[in-house]
Amino acid sequence: MALVGPVSRALAERLSSCRLLVVGAGGIGCELLKNLVLAGFRDIELVDLDTIDVSNLNRQFLFQKKHVGKSKAQVAKESALQFCPEAKITAYHDSIMNPDYNVEFFRQFTLVMNALDNRAARNHVNRMCLAADIPLIESGTAGYLGQVTVIKKGVTECYECQPKPTQKTFPGCTIRNTPSEPIHCIVWAKYLFNQLFGEEDADQEVSPDTADPEAAWELSDAVARAGASNEDGGIKRVSTKDWARSTGYDPVKIFNKLFRDDIKYLLTMDQLWRKRKAPVPLDWTAVERVEMGSSLQQPSASPTGLKDQQVLDVRSYAHLFARSVGHLKARLAEKGDGGELVWDKDDAPAMNFVTAAANLRMHIFSINMKSKFDVKSMAGNIIPAIATTNAVIAGLIVLEGLKILSGNMEQCRTIFLNKQPNPRKKLLVPCTLDPPNASCYVCSIKPEVTVKLNTHRVSVQMLQDRILKDKFGMVAPDVQIEDGKGTILISSEEGETEANNNKNLAEFGIRNGSRLQADDFLQDYTLTVTLLHSEDLEKDVEFEVVGDVPDKASHRLSEEDGKVITNGSDDGAQPSTSRAAEQDDVLIVDSDEEMPSSSGAEGDGESRSLKRKLEEEAGGGGGVKRRCTEQQEEEEDEDVITLD
């Protein structure tokens, strides 16, 4: 066979002539683009919406300090062309979810490779590739873990074949009244940032929740409080931002309001503290007068290590809070009337504000304080990105692409990169690709899903935003009620059905068993939704997808796993959960027990609870328990790195 470098002449010609779409130019994307041009790919189109940040430079090696603030896609193109000037690379500084990138756009390509960092975009590309019938290579990393898989319509599982758990959320009363973990205080501090400097959101209130049912003995009291909390009672209500503006953003007044007055008010809700340790208010004057050696002066850990890894004392956090308020006040003033700031983990004043506010609240509620490094990891929903992991995964993406272009689709595998070698000393473990899930609400012949909700409480707006867009990944849905009349409930045409938004579903005759047809023209996707009316949903649960298994299965993880707080990295982890139990998509295969695929695990309760660890949003396999047989591993020795 004639060879051109390490590949056959026929394959080399195929590489140079095929059109390739790469989505994402971050940690994986940079390594991937470099690999592609060096492997012989000559016609590549690259899409990424992000700009380059200083924090990217330690692992995204196509970028340099001089590129900070510029388009990732454009700079990645320019850098890759230095490896291979004859390559044709087209860069788009844009979102792949832009309607311009429709099914016809995707049909131009021979192959699509994902290097994304969020679930919404992954879902969208998955659907576009299914509609265009183009092979997709999905990938992701989470720290030392990684995964690559191949998706082909009608041949393999799609990215959404296995339902994934929703992002972990916390009840509002826990955030506002009774925090018990650092993450509760960090979420509160991020809410506070938006209330003071950003876009105000009624769902992100930070003041004590007087409607907390736990604060009242009788159910009637709780209902009365909830009603009273939504009424003005003759008192003019002022937003947090308006109040802060009226004080001139005085840091001392803001401090005393948040950490003294609000806490004193919480203490009047004495039923909350019968079985909990009561919070201890902080007063600015008292903090300032604290003497050396007091409990407020001593940090919860010795100040060793790097600056951002040190836990400071309460007085230091109070001063940091005041300084950051001053910086953010000045920045907000620069934006003029109606200006808003957007919280960014890489913005020093914003990060200092959240670190200080969260730690002051932790101290008040007797929770161990955290370093800025730890707070940033939780607040920014980050798993530390490892450059080597990105490099390994990018290499595996290209290898799977070569198999597809060689016409050897049957040789493609899902490959897991583990943190440690398994008992057979294998760090990379390939698994056979699973066939499509017959009940998948995306790639099955007639996609259907059943949703349980309260039709008297769920509005049309919530159906559109929280269910169809957030949960089921639609971009611009059109919804018709199957009532024999073809009633249009939601239209993607602006203004057509806006009058329906605040009405509840019951007002349109929707009841238990009603069916809706939701169409997304951009994704060429139609979903039939059966609605089950229920008044027995758990507190703070707006709806449930019937058969959404991972949310329940996740509780089988060990207690130790449940304590880990991680989330998607810029290199392919998504986003956002607060416990490893809710994470998905990277699976550590640490055994050679027989279980060739997720489908083979169905119906076996014991095998479904085998030890595994899920990591956030790092590939196409979904949150599935998956094993490889010894025979399969023997067959795939050429794809496995062994450690002697």
Side-chain angles (χ1 to χ4, degrees):
M1 180 184 296
L3 296 179
V4 178
V7 300
S8 67
R9 183 174 299 279
L11 180 56
E13 292 174 356
R14 181 77 170 135
L15 297 183
S16 62
S17 63
C18 76
R19 297 193 68 184
L20 192 65
L21 175 63
V22 176
V23 188
I28 295 176
C30 282
E31 293 288 341
L32 178 58
L33 190 60
K34 176 258 296 179
N35 289 349
L36 291 172
V37 295
L38 293 178
F41 290 86
R42 293 293 178 264
D43 192 351
I44 303 168
E45 298 197 18
L46 176 66
V47 182
D48 195 299
L49 180 61
D50 284 348
T51 54
I52 299 163
D53 187 84
V54 173
S55 63
N56 303 145
L57 302 182
N58 71 331
R59 63 191 182 280
Q60 298 175 20
F61 299 128
L62 296 185
F63 309 142
Q64 300 174 32
K65 191 173 182 179
K66 65 183 180 181
H67 297 137
V68 170
K70 296 182 179 180
S71 162
K72 284 188 176 182
Q74 188 62 38
V75 174
K77 166 192 170 179
E78 294 168 0
S79 298
L81 286 175
Q82 295 182 42
F83 291 101
C84 182
E86 63 270 25
K88 175 189 173 186
I89 303 176
T90 306
Y92 302 91
H93 178 60
D94 204 353
S95 168
I96 192 62
M97 298 175 74
N98 186 317
D100 291 340
Y101 308 117
N102 54 24
V103 175
E104 291 305 314
F105 173 81
F106 275 79
R107 285 190 178 130
Q108 304 175 74
F109 301 102
T110 311
L111 182 60
V112 177
M113 295 179 174
N114 262 357
L116 286 162
D117 63 355
N118 69 90
R119 184 182 297 175
R122 280 190 167 104
N123 288 345
H124 181 71
V125 174
N126 173 62
R127 296 177 188 193
M128 300 306 287
C129 288
L130 290 173
D133 197 11
I134 301 297
L136 168 65
I137 302 179
E138 180 59 80
S139 66
T141 62
Y144 293 101
L145 308 178
Q147 177 176 338
V148 174
T149 195
V150 175
I151 296 169
K152 182 70 172 73
K153 182 178 181 179
V155 178
T156 73
E157 280 187 340
C158 79
Y159 179 71
E160 299 170 83
C161 267
Q162 299 299 332
K164 298 172 177 63
T166 55
Q167 179 174 334
K168 175 67 176 178
T169 57
F170 304 99
C173 54
T174 299
I175 299 299
R176 295 166 64 181
N177 291 359
T178 55
S180 58
E181 300 176 20
I183 188 65
H184 298 155
C185 299
I186 294 168
V187 169
W188 178 88
K190 288 182 69 176
Y191 285 179
L192 178 62
F193 177 90
N194 286 332
Q195 292 290 330
L196 289 174
F197 308 105
E199 182 180 0
E200 293 179 275
D201 185 339
D203 293 331
Q204 296 185 358
E205 183 57 63
V206 294
S207 298
D209 183 5
T210 57
D212 187 345
E214 193 183 350
W217 282 113
E218 300 296 333
L219 179 60
S220 58
D221 291 343
V223 174
R225 287 187 182 188
S229 69
N230 292 321
E231 297 173 3
D232 288 340
I235 300 173
K236 183 180 179 180
R237 294 197 168 199
V238 179
S239 72
T240 304
K241 184 181 288 185
D242 288 341
W243 174 82
R245 191 180 288 119
S246 71
T247 70
Y249 280 96
D250 185 321
V252 175
K253 290 181 178 179
I254 295 174
F255 181 98
N256 283 336
K257 193 268 183 190
L258 296 169
F259 304 117
R260 183 191 66 190
D261 300 343
D262 283 358
I263 302 303
K264 286 182 177 179
Y265 185 83
L266 276 177
L267 290 172
T268 66
M269 302 162 70
D270 55 352
Q271 304 300 339
L272 292 175
W273 318 115
R274 288 185 173 260
K275 295 182 180 180
R276 294 185 181 91
K277 184 174 181 179
V280 180
L282 277 178
D283 179 84
W284 178 270
T285 304
V287 172
E288 281 290 272
R289 290 178 179 173
V290 68
E291 296 181 4
M292 189 67 67
S294 76
S295 61
L296 296 184
Q297 186 70 29
Q298 294 298 319
S300 59
S302 58
T304 59
L306 299 175
K307 181 180 178 181
D308 284 355
Q309 294 178 341
Q310 296 175 9
V311 178
L312 309 180
D313 56 69
V314 173
R315 185 177 182 182
S316 297
Y317 281 127
H319 290 167
L320 180 62
F321 178 84
R323 291 196 302 273
S324 60
V325 168
H327 288 141
L328 294 170
K329 169 190 172 182
R331 189 173 295 175
L332 187 63
E334 292 173 0
K335 292 186 173 289
D337 293 340
E340 295 174 347
L341 302 182
V342 178
W343 190 83
D344 184 347
K345 62 180 170 54
D346 295 315
D347 178 60
M351 193 64 240
N352 287 338
F353 176 86
V354 168
T355 299
N359 274 297
L360 290 168
R361 192 164 172 87
M362 287 181 220
H363 175 81
I364 287 168
F365 285 90
S366 302
I367 302 169
N368 288 335
M369 295 191 293
K370 295 291 182 181
S371 68
K372 182 178 178 179
F373 179 85
D374 291 333
V375 172
K376 185 174 182 178
S377 294
M378 291 185 251
N381 298 325
I382 312 164
I383 294 174
I386 309 297
T388 310
T389 309
N390 295 334
V392 172
I393 293 302
L396 292 172
I397 294 172
V398 175
L399 291 177
E400 294 305 301
L402 294 178
K403 294 176 187 177
I404 294 171
L405 294 174
S406 299
N408 298 320
M409 183 73 191
E410 72 284 354
Q411 293 182 12
C412 291
R413 297 290 183 264
T414 293
I415 305 175
F416 298 102
L417 170 62
N418 296 340
K419 186 175 182 180
Q420 297 176 335
N422 67 3
R424 293 174 59 82
K425 299 183 179 181
K426 294 179 180 178
L427 196 62
L428 290 173
V429 184
C431 298
T432 54
L433 298 172
D434 285 316
N437 179 357
S439 60
C440 175
Y441 62 75
V442 174
C443 70
S444 60
I445 297 174
K446 292 184 178 180
E448 293 191 24
V449 70
T450 301
V451 178
K452 185 188 295 185
L453 47 72
N454 188 323
T455 58
H456 298 290
R457 293 183 180 177
V458 173
S459 66
V460 173
Q461 186 80 55
M462 185 184 299
L463 172 68
Q464 175 182 278
D465 294 343
R466 299 278 292 110
I467 299 177
L468 296 178
K469 289 186 176 181
D470 291 352
K471 180 64 181 177
F472 297 127
M474 290 186 161
V475 176
D478 293 283
V479 180
Q480 177 178 308
I481 306 173
E482 294 187 355
D483 55 1
K485 306 173 188 176
T487 304
I488 303 298
L489 189 64
I490 299 171
S491 172
S492 59
E493 295 295 328
E494 188 174 353
E496 277 194 8
T497 55
E498 281 185 7
N500 296 345
N501 287 351
N502 295 324
K503 297 179 181 179
N504 61 52
L505 300 183
E507 293 181 54
F508 295 89
I510 295 173
R511 57 186 185 275
N512 189 54
S514 292
R515 288 165 64 89
L516 309 176
Q517 180 172 300
D519 295 291
D520 192 308
F521 177 77
L522 173 62
Q523 297 179 342
D524 192 17
Y525 172 53
T526 299
L527 176 66
T528 300
V529 183
T530 301
L531 299 179
L532 300 182
H533 174 74
S534 174
E535 298 183 2
D536 300 323
L537 295 173
E538 295 180 10
K539 179 186 174 185
D540 294 314
V541 174
E542 297 170 334
F543 65 91
E544 289 181 358
V545 178
V546 177
D548 218 351
V549 178
D551 281 329
K552 299 175 182 177
S554 65
H555 295 297
R556 295 180 182 175
L557 285 174
S558 69
E559 185 68 23
E560 181 179 353
D561 282 343
K563 294 176 182 176
V564 179
I565 300 174
T566 57
N567 203 348
S569 75
D570 289 341
D571 306 311
Q574 129 188 80
S576 171
T577 66
S578 64
R579 297 178 57 197
E582 280 84 23
Q583 296 168 4
D584 53 273
D585 291 350
V586 169
L587 172 63
I588 299 179
V589 180
D590 56 3
S591 168
D592 295 307
E593 300 174 36
E594 285 197 13
M595 191 183 296
S597 70
S598 60
S599 56
E602 294 176 8
D604 185 346
E606 288 297 318
S607 62
R608 290 179 67 85
S609 61
L610 287 169
K611 178 183 176 185
R612 84 269 189 260
K613 182 174 181 180
L614 300 174
E615 289 293 345
E616 190 71 12
E617 200 62 33
V624 188
K625 305 163 192 67
R626 193 191 303 255
R627 302 275 170 158
C628 303
T629 62
E630 282 193 28
Q631 178 183 2
Q632 179 186 328
E633 291 190 353
E634 293 295 341
E635 291 173 352
E636 298 303 321
D637 275 344
E638 69 273 15
D639 289 335
V640 176
I641 295 177
T642 60
L643 303 182
D644 295 325

